[in-house]
Amino acid sequence: MMNFIKKLFSKEQKIMVTQVPSKPFALSKDFPITAEEDLILALPLEILSDKEKLQDVIDCSNDALTSIENNLIYLKLSKGMSVSLKKNAQCVILSNSAEDRRPRLLSVNKQN
């Protein structure tokens, strides 16, 4: 019962959302997201200035696989991994094939 009361008055709010692959969405610096299933997230490389490194702008698990190709930053997140940005950016979730339009499940965390 005490855990329920703590969650009820907690400053952290968790909201479950779905996102269709290949449809751009805004990832705000105020809203860390958690992958509720394995997925690949693509971010524009221009979120980094000339002197910034990935870890200066992107905060994610050390286990997340990252790569940079074609002016995009790819983050491979396993279920339960979170990512947050220190800047706002548009991003997309990638699918395995053009036919795979199944929405992916994410949780959005807002801390007051």
Side-chain angles (χ1 to χ4, degrees):
M1 180 69 167
M2 191 59 140
N3 285 338
F4 172 76
I5 293 171
K6 284 180 185 177
K7 286 182 183 179
L8 187 62
F9 293 102
S10 171
K11 292 187 179 198
E12 183 176 315
Q13 300 171 9
K14 181 177 176 180
I15 301 167
M16 302 301 282
V17 297
T18 57
Q19 180 62 37
V20 176
S22 302
K23 183 176 179 185
F25 67 98
L27 185 54
S28 172
K29 64 181 179 178
D30 297 326
F31 294 89
I33 61 171
T34 301
E36 297 297 330
E37 59 185 283
D38 295 352
L39 57 87
I40 299 173
L41 191 66
L43 301 153
L45 185 58
E46 60 251 8
I47 65 170
L48 300 178
S49 68
D50 292 336
K51 298 178 182 179
E52 290 177 317
K53 298 176 184 172
L54 282 177
Q55 60 268 27
D56 295 335
V57 178
I58 300 170
D59 184 23
C60 64
S61 170
N62 290 338
D63 296 338
L65 299 176
T66 59
S67 64
I68 299 174
E69 293 177 36
N70 302 324
N71 291 321
L72 291 171
I73 301 167
Y74 296 97
L75 300 173
K76 186 173 183 180
L77 304 173
S78 296
K79 181 178 179 179
M81 288 183 175
S82 296
V83 63
S84 63
L85 302 180
K86 295 179 182 148
K87 297 179 179 180
N88 297 331
Q90 290 288 318
C91 61
V92 296
I93 293 174
L94 302 180
S95 62
N96 296 329
S97 68
E99 296 81 31
D100 183 7
R101 302 290 297 157
R102 181 183 59 80
R104 302 309 196 265
L105 187 60
L106 304 164
S107 60
V108 180
N109 304 303
K110 170 67 175 162
Q111 296 180 340
N112 297 331

